[in-house]
Amino acid sequence: MAAEPSERQRDKASASARSLLLTVLGEFVLPRRGEVWTGTLVAALGALGVEEKSARQALARTAAEGLLTSTRHGRRVRWSLTDAADRLLREGTERIYGFMRKPHDWDGRWLVLTAGVPETQRQLRHRLRTKLTWLGLGSPAPGLWVIPDAAKAGAVRDVVRELDLGDRAYAWTGTSADIGDTTSLISAAWDLDDVEKRYLAFIERFERVTVSANREAFVNQVLLIQEWRRFPFLDPDLPAELLDHDWPGPRAATVFHDLRNRWHRRAQAEWDQMDEDAAART
């Protein structure tokens, strides 16, 4: 008899189901007026290996976070993305599909931010870290954030304003004063060795994948996006001037976009079929 899953395993499964749900919402629901049947989502997550109970829990959790609202149609429930979810998913889509899409020139300027949030305000610290990491900033020391991209100043300003940190944050842009070692700064701010290993694993995992059916295209496309969406949190997309060897990020980006384009039509067809089946149920 199989052992009962531990609380940690259940929490991990719940988080995984929610993460897959957000990917599905962004890729398939957002482009379709932001509406979907419960049955469609349960079937979609089921194809991805998520049990129905976990799928429904992920739906309830996402709704509790203010990202989904429900409307009952007889015995069926139809979900709609809230305005907050629409913004979140559109921003995520833009970031995911625009990330490392093309090389960019560097003017030599850095953006540096100091933001003091005490340990006692853990939730605020977490929100700040999540938002700054999503923008590509790294933290080489407590309370200090950097990125070699002065154009991110406006986005960082928005984060500071949103979190009401204007009286505890200060940022400036400029070129290096040639004090200290830039390589050491980069190593302290980002774990690029780990990111490189992840890129190579991503390439190895997906570049040889082929699909022969719509269901396979759907599953593999979701898994492809699920893996790729992590990289904007991990990789600051450093300019070539700050990299000491051939960086695998652009190659991984090519694999991502080529496969997504190749699988897109069949994946969408599979989604439409699942949606038709859900709509037909009484």
Side-chain angles (χ1 to χ4, degrees):
M1 180 180 294
E4 281 293 317
S6 67
E7 183 176 350
R8 178 176 295 182
Q9 288 174 321
R10 289 194 294 270
D11 289 345
K12 184 177 180 181
S14 176
S16 176
R18 181 183 176 277
S19 180
L20 286 168
L21 173 61
L22 290 176
T23 297
V24 168
L25 292 175
E27 187 70 10
F28 299 96
V29 178
L30 182 64
R32 291 171 171 79
R33 298 182 300 175
E35 297 183 354
V36 61
W37 296 109
T38 298
T40 309
L41 291 173
V42 169
L45 293 176
L48 295 161
V50 178
E51 295 181 354
E52 180 174 348
K53 180 180 179 180
S54 295
R56 293 184 181 277
Q57 288 175 340
L59 265 172
R61 179 181 173 189
T62 305
E65 293 171 349
L67 299 178
L68 291 170
T69 58
S70 62
T71 306
R72 183 165 292 279
H73 296 259
R75 296 170 58 188
R76 295 176 299 163
V77 173
R78 191 160 179 82
W79 296 91
S80 299
L81 299 176
T82 63
D83 290 342
D86 187 271
R87 288 193 301 272
L88 175 70
L89 295 174
R90 289 188 188 279
E91 290 173 3
T93 297
E94 181 179 352
R95 179 79 168 120
I96 290 167
Y97 285 105
F99 178 67
M100 206 164 286
R101 190 59 167 154
K102 55 186 178 181
H104 51 84
D105 296 328
W106 184 44
D107 61 5
R109 294 193 301 156
W110 289 73
L111 167 65
V112 181
L113 169 73
T114 62
V117 180
E119 283 281 356
T120 53
Q121 294 181 285
R122 292 183 179 179
Q123 185 175 8
L124 181 58
R125 285 169 63 92
H126 174 72
R127 291 180 65 196
L128 178 65
R129 175 172 292 276
T130 299
K131 289 180 178 294
L132 293 180
T133 302
W134 179 243
L135 292 175
L137 280 76
S139 180
L144 180 67
W145 294 86
V146 299
I147 188 171
D149 186 353
K152 293 285 179 67
V156 170
R157 187 181 302 112
D158 290 341
V159 170
V160 170
R161 184 182 299 117
E162 179 184 347
L163 299 182
D164 195 24
L165 292 174
D167 60 342
R168 288 185 274 176
Y170 188 82
W172 60 96
T173 61
T175 58
S176 169
D178 294 325
I179 299 173
D181 180 46
T182 302
T183 301
S184 297
L185 172 72
I186 290 173
S187 296
W190 300 281
D191 188 353
L192 294 187
D193 288 341
D194 178 67
V195 177
E196 183 168 25
K197 291 176 183 177
R198 289 172 181 263
Y199 273 135
L200 295 175
F202 175 88
I203 293 168
E204 182 179 1
R205 175 181 179 183
F206 286 106
E207 69 176 350
R208 293 188 179 90
V209 174
T210 59
V211 302
S212 58
N214 290 355
R215 176 61 61 96
E216 291 179 0
F218 171 80
V219 169
N220 281 288
Q221 181 169 315
V222 173
L223 295 179
L224 179 79
I225 297 168
Q226 187 76 357
E227 287 298 313
W228 181 254
R229 63 184 283 198
R230 295 186 173 96
F231 287 112
F233 279 107
L234 302 172
D235 184 2
D237 191 13
L238 296 176
E241 293 90 334
L242 297 176
L243 296 169
D244 60 3
H245 64 285
D246 187 26
W247 186 244
R251 181 182 165 201
T254 297
V255 170
F256 169 72
H257 290 288
D258 285 351
L259 290 179
R260 193 266 181 179
N261 292 339
R262 189 182 309 169
W263 296 337
H264 178 73
R265 181 183 58 81
R266 300 184 77 169
Q268 296 292 329
E270 178 65 16
W271 174 267
D272 289 337
Q273 184 61 58
M274 288 188 288
D275 196 47
E276 289 177 13
D277 292 344
R281 297 190 189 103
T282 57

